[in-house]
Amino acid sequence: MTSSVDMMPGFDRMQLQAPFDLTYYNEQPLSGGKFHSHAFYEIYYFHEGRCTYLIGDSVFTLKPGDLLLMNGLTLHCPNVEPDSRYVRSILHFDPAWICKGLSETAKSILLDPFETLRNHRMTLTGENREEFEGMLADIHRLSSSTAGFRQERMTLRIQEMMYVIADWCQAAVQDHDSISEKERHVQHVVSFVEENYMLDLTLEGIARDMHITKHYLSSLFKEVTGTTVFKYVYHRRINQAKIMLRLHPHLSITEISQASGFKHLAHFSRMFKAMVGTTPEYYRRSGEELSLT
């Protein structure tokens, strides 16, 4: 299914041309950063500069040494301060290719940080930072060489990097695994909404995806979160609209309304005013700090 986001200006559905791709120590200024998504995983490392990174409705103010692990499907976009340096290394990879030939246990170890934590930020310091930057540099040197079995050797080095990352993420993954079944269901709803908020969602459709009844879904979500599923959906859509109003001034209010998941402009305007306290037009003009709640 093609979503409205795929057809909107200012969004990219990225394609991977090889099993993995490393952009190392990229110092080029970012011109017109776009929200994008892709069906491959991403390891993003921030070397230097001033940047706010938006992943879905999460906002990370980055500092040197920050490492982002992304499953790729969630819309994400860097917002770099004007006239600031923006130095980053980005590794995109196809998880099926990277894990080809490995045991199921090994696959689980390498992919758990991406699949369980989904979009995760950690800050590397000291020996961890030195080790990770050394691995990045080593993969980059190999990618630029004419050595025999270059791709196979790069795959091994990327696997080693992922083992190191998995080690660093063990505590966070274990904390996630210790959550209750009810909390796991609610996280499934949140993940489903994150990937589909721009589409025409129904309670029946979400419940069907989870293989539970819509009555059980409604009561469970309310019990754990204190709010309803569709209050959460509208909250997510309005947050997306706020991000787009700030970062995409070339888009009309109607385009932003549609890309955020609203069928009708009037409904969008009413919901935005009720939740934000002002109209979308005024919010765009106000120049206030980006605030996501």
Side-chain angles (χ1 to χ4, degrees):
M1 179 181 295
T2 301
S3 76
S4 58
V5 170
D6 298 314
M7 300 178 286
M8 291 293 296
F11 291 93
D12 283 338
R13 177 72 68 176
M14 295 176 57
Q15 301 295 321
L16 193 61
Q17 303 302 318
F20 48 80
D21 175 68
L22 173 66
T23 303
Y24 177 71
Y25 208 83
N26 185 358
E27 301 182 67
Q28 294 183 352
L30 188 71
S31 176
K34 296 180 179 180
F35 276 95
H36 57 278
S37 65
H38 41 74
F40 43 90
Y41 291 177
E42 178 173 338
I43 298 172
Y44 172 106
Y45 183 74
F46 186 64
H47 293 274
E48 183 181 346
R50 294 194 301 275
C51 174
T52 300
Y53 211 102
L54 299 95
I55 309 177
D57 61 353
S58 298
V59 180
F60 301 103
T61 301
L62 299 183
K63 54 183 177 294
D66 274 2
L67 177 65
L68 296 176
L69 310 178
M70 291 182 266
N71 70 358
L73 292 174
T74 306
L75 284 171
H76 49 284
C77 174
N79 182 33
V80 181
E81 292 188 22
D83 303 319
S84 169
R85 293 196 74 199
Y86 178 47
V87 187
R88 66 279 189 197
S89 292
I90 301 173
L91 175 65
H92 294 130
F93 65 93
D94 177 352
W97 175 273
I98 291 297
C99 294
K100 186 169 61 174
L102 297 180
S103 69
E104 290 303 316
T105 299
K107 290 179 185 178
S108 177
I109 291 171
L110 295 188
L111 299 182
D112 261 0
F114 299 88
E115 297 177 349
T116 303
L117 304 178
R118 299 185 64 81
N119 301 298
H120 182 63
R121 189 260 299 268
M122 68 181 78
T123 299
L124 305 184
T125 59
E127 292 181 359
N128 287 352
R129 181 173 177 179
E130 183 178 345
E131 179 180 13
F132 187 81
E133 291 183 356
M135 287 189 292
L136 277 176
D138 188 41
I139 295 171
H140 171 64
R141 281 193 298 270
L142 187 55
S143 71
S144 305
S145 77
T146 57
F149 303 104
R150 183 174 63 93
Q151 188 174 68
E152 290 81 0
R153 292 166 63 185
M154 287 181 66
T155 300
L156 289 173
R157 281 164 169 77
I158 294 170
Q159 289 174 348
E160 180 186 8
M161 174 184 284
M162 292 171 66
Y163 272 115
V164 171
I165 289 172
D167 181 37
W168 292 338
C169 290
Q170 270 189 348
V173 170
Q174 288 168 359
D175 286 345
H176 183 277
D177 287 341
S178 68
I179 67 175
S180 70
E181 189 66 22
K182 288 182 178 181
E183 291 171 320
R184 200 179 304 280
H185 276 315
V186 169
Q187 288 195 354
H188 187 115
V189 175
V190 170
S191 298
F192 186 88
V193 171
E194 179 61 46
E195 294 175 14
N196 297 282
Y197 64 86
M198 72 294 295
L199 304 179
D200 186 15
L201 296 179
T202 65
L203 198 61
E204 290 84 352
I206 299 173
R208 185 166 55 249
D209 181 77
M210 296 178 60
H211 306 291
I212 60 178
T213 68
K214 66 176 184 178
H215 174 74
Y216 179 63
L217 169 62
S218 296
S219 60
L220 176 66
F221 196 86
K222 179 72 179 233
E223 176 187 344
V224 174
T225 68
T227 190
T228 68
V229 173
F230 268 90
K231 281 184 179 178
Y232 178 80
V233 170
Y234 286 128
H235 179 87
R236 177 63 185 92
R237 288 171 172 171
I238 293 300
N239 270 354
Q240 186 64 29
K242 289 166 70 176
I243 292 171
M244 295 176 67
L245 286 164
R246 283 286 187 263
L247 300 185
H248 299 283
H250 61 285
L251 294 180
S252 70
I253 301 298
T254 298
E255 288 173 324
I256 289 174
S257 167
Q258 293 172 348
S260 300
F262 290 89
K263 286 184 177 180
H264 305 292
L265 179 60
H267 184 209
F268 167 66
S269 297
R270 285 196 304 271
M271 290 295 300
F272 195 96
K273 180 69 180 292
M275 296 178 69
V276 182
T278 187
T279 65
E281 294 84 356
Y282 182 83
Y283 182 84
R284 167 177 272 173
R285 294 194 307 265
S286 66
E288 296 171 358
E289 287 292 321
L290 182 65
S291 174
L292 304 181
T293 57

